[in-house]
Structure formats: structure tokens, C-alpha cells
Amino acid sequence: MRAADLDADGLPDLVVDHRDAGGVLVLRGLGGGIFEQPGVLVPVGGDPYRGMALGDIDGDGRPDLVTPNPNDAGILINTSREGITFERAGAVPARSPFAVSLADFDGDERLDLVSGANERLSVVEVFLGDGEGGFVPHPESPFEFAAGGKHIASGDFNADGLADAVIACWQSPEVMVLWGGRDDLQTELLPGGEHPWGLAVVDLNDDGMDDIVIADESMRQ
């Protein structure tokens, strides 16, 4: 589930994954914690229970949607005017994605896409955004990591003004940190418990650098 103001009316709306219907359910916010029922089903071309990422990928000021489908990452452009509407705009050739995140990793003020594969592949892929809704593979992508990607969270871990990402994979006791860079990307592995599942990024000690919180099956980090 994600919350964002999709139609620029000043009220948060909800996007809910809907495994059985092959799409996401969008519920327009009415204010006061009330949302329009039953909502609008938006087909995404795959199996959206895997998650989603929201961000303005075409530069029009409205949050767009990326979903990890079984064979690719679906791109849906927010075309909302009077109501909330999305238009499918092709797909990114991510391999068996399970988790996705949007952030500007190279500092060009365009959102990029990072994708973690499911249990069939041991890769993390990065695609550079063109600012118009399209993505191309980063020259250094893919990066080898464990299979079973579950969650990706983005932030600035070293206060260099560039986004970084942390990726949790069920089959690895470590998490991968992807360090953003204007010319290249670096990776680093950190202890993550036994089966890292969830992630959160927040500056816990007010030092200007985002910290990482890891939810693990058997312990707390």
C-alpha cells in the first residue's frame, strides 16, 4: 500500500496492491481519513501484490507508478485531471522483479529505478530514468546478490546529495547497500540477521545521514 496526493487536490489518496485482479486499487481521498469506495482498479500488466513505487518519473509534478510484474517492471503514467487515472506506458525489462524503488542515484534530477529479483535470480538491476517516463539499463547493471529480493528502501546514507538504496533478500543474511554516484555505482554488504524481510530508512540521530532499520524473521536489528 502507498499513500500520495495523486490528483493534486491536497488530499492523500491510497494505492493498494490487488493480487487477484491483476492491478492496483486506487482509492481517492475525501479528507478526514475517508476514502472513496470501492475505488478504481488500474491494470498494471502483471501480479502487483509484489509491491510498487510512486514517483514523478515524467516531470509533470504528479506521482507516477512502477510495479514489479512477474517478467518486467510496469510503468504507469499519472494522467489525472478531474479524477484519478493512469495510462500504461510500456515496461522496463527488469528480470523477475519482486521489489522496486525510485530515486535519483546519479544526481541528474531524474528518478532512476532499482529492482531486486525474486527467488529465481540473484541480481539487483538499476535503470536510469530519462525524465520522460523511460528507463535504460545502467552501464554497470546488473549487480550480483542473493535471490529472493523482498524490499528496497532509498535514502542518502552518506550526505553527499545523491540517493543510495538498501536491498533485502530473503536468501541472504546480509543486505546490499547501493551507493549512488554521478559516474559509477558502488555496492557494499552489511549484516542483516538471518532472513531480512523489511527495511526502513530514517535519520535516527540527526546527523544529516539516513540510517537503516532492518526487520528480520528471527531478530531485531
Side-chain angles (χ1 to χ4, degrees), residues 2-216:
R2 301 288 185 273
D5 183 3
L6 301 175
D7 54 359
D9 64 355
L11 300 172
D13 311 298
L14 291 181
V15 184
V16 184
D17 52 290
H18 198 312
R19 182 175 190 177
D20 294 333
V24 296
L25 192 63
V26 177
L27 291 85
R28 181 171 174 268
L30 302 177
I34 300 173
F35 295 88
E36 194 171 64
Q37 299 287 340
V40 178
L41 183 67
V42 178
V44 301
D47 192 356
Y49 91 98
R50 300 159 180 264
M52 68 197 77
L54 283 170
D56 181 12
I57 61 178
D58 63 351
D60 66 354
R62 292 189 293 262
D64 306 301
L65 179 65
V66 178
T67 61
N69 303 330
N71 300 310
D72 54 41
I75 304 298
L76 292 98
I77 300 299
N78 187 343
T79 57
S80 301
R81 292 290 188 270
E82 298 298 326
I84 298 177
T85 56
F86 284 88
E87 179 179 316
R88 285 177 59 186
V92 177
R95 291 177 286 180
S96 301
F98 194 97
V100 292
S101 184
L102 290 166
D104 180 10
F105 297 110
D106 58 359
D108 65 356
E109 299 184 356
R110 301 169 179 173
L111 290 182
D112 309 307
L113 172 67
V114 58
S115 168
N118 64 16
E119 66 275 3
R120 293 187 294 169
L121 292 173
S122 303
V123 297
V124 171
E125 295 177 282
V126 177
F127 299 87
L128 299 177
D130 63 8
E132 298 179 354
F135 294 88
V136 297
H138 190 283
E140 297 172 294
S141 180
F143 299 90
E144 291 294 324
F145 190 37
K150 289 298 179 185
H151 194 194
I152 303 174
S154 300
D156 187 356
F157 306 142
N158 54 2
D160 65 353
L162 302 175
D164 311 300
V166 57
I167 301 98
C169 287
W170 175 255
Q171 296 185 18
S172 173
E174 299 172 306
V175 295
M176 172 187 278
V177 175
L178 179 75
W179 297 100
R182 298 186 187 279
D183 299 316
D184 60 1
L185 301 175
Q186 304 292 327
T187 62
E188 180 180 354
L189 298 181
L190 300 177
E194 293 185 13
H195 295 294
W197 186 276
L199 298 164
V201 170
V202 62
D203 184 2
L204 295 171
N205 55 356
D206 294 322
D207 63 355
M209 294 181 287
D210 288 321
D211 306 303
I212 302 169
V213 181
I214 303 170
D216 182 72

